[in-house]
Amino acid sequence: MSEEWQFQIRATLTDRAAELICEGGAAPELEPLVSVAERHNAQIRNQYEAFAEFVAEAEAAGETQSPLYKWTKVTIEDPVKVAKHKKIVTFYVNGDEVYAKDAAEALEADLKPLVGGPLVAKINKYDSNPANNPQPPAHLMS
């Protein structure tokens, strides 16, 4: 029996759209993106902010020894990676970071027409299978 993986949709935004999302996401220019998210009961979450929140929560809980914490901390302290991750948003459907494949595919289909326009540079669909996702570098595993 094969395992049922969950999925996540991320979008790399244009410079202007990323700037507007970082400013709170209320700009009228973002309406096409926000409209798609609303149709899918999805929240748009800036990836950098999610990483920074994860680090802050881990530090508050005293859970700073995990490889994931160390990797995320290094990422949010690297200006090049900060710039990259401020341009990426994750769609949380019904408040969930990962969701069923059909929900991900429907969201992806509605986002595709925005790719190449003034808001979205590209979209990616990820699954929750660890074999398909990057793992912390070996030097952070101890």
Side-chain angles (χ1 to χ4, degrees), residues 20-96:
L20 293 170
I21 287 288
C22 288
E23 291 173 358
E29 294 168 71
L30 294 172
E31 194 282 327
L33 187 63
V34 171
S35 178
V36 169
E38 288 174 349
R39 280 197 306 274
H40 294 272
N41 196 33
Q43 300 74 42
I44 302 170
R45 187 85 195 276
N46 175 274
Q47 195 65 44
Y48 169 77
E49 290 174 6
F51 286 177
E53 183 178 296
F54 169 77
V55 166
E57 288 174 359
E59 289 173 348
E63 299 171 359
T64 59
Q65 296 307 309
S66 77
L68 182 58
Y69 164 81
K70 292 174 185 177
W71 190 25
T72 307
K73 177 82 170 172
V74 167
T75 298
I76 68 168
E77 291 177 343
D78 180 331
V80 172
K81 291 179 181 177
V82 167
K84 172 187 171 188
H85 290 288
K86 282 189 173 185
K87 291 179 67 170
I88 300 171
V89 294
T90 302
F91 292 85
Y92 286 58
V93 174
N94 297 317
D96 296 324

